[in-house]
Amino acid sequence: MISRELVSQGASILRQIDPETLFARDEGREGWYLDHFEQWRDLYLSADDKNEEILVGVA
């Protein structure tokens, strides 16, 4: 469980990061990293906007 407080802190940090600058798309696998980073970033930002926690499961 990622608490609302940690979600908020993570979202605050992630809002400051420009994914395109962090991962250049011109070298193959970096596009994969960018896509996955953006998915996690969107999850944190959405949960923060809704004041929600995130439940993480491992299979």
Side-chain angles (χ1 to χ4, degrees):
M1 178 77 68
I2 302 172
S3 70
R4 287 179 291 176
E5 293 79 18
L6 287 177
V7 168
S8 180
Q9 290 174 4
S12 176
I13 292 167
L14 291 169
R15 281 187 179 95
Q16 298 175 40
I17 297 173
D18 176 26
E20 293 289 337
T21 301
L22 187 60
F23 302 104
R25 281 196 181 263
D26 60 350
E27 293 187 22
R29 283 198 51 93
E30 284 77 6
W32 180 89
Y33 294 118
L34 175 60
D35 292 341
H36 284 80
F37 175 82
E38 287 177 332
Q39 289 174 1
W40 278 104
R41 182 177 186 260
D42 291 345
L43 173 67
Y44 269 80
L45 297 181
S46 177
D48 185 46
D49 289 344
K50 297 174 184 174
N51 200 30
E52 295 178 338
E53 299 171 330
I54 297 174
L55 178 61
V56 179
V58 178

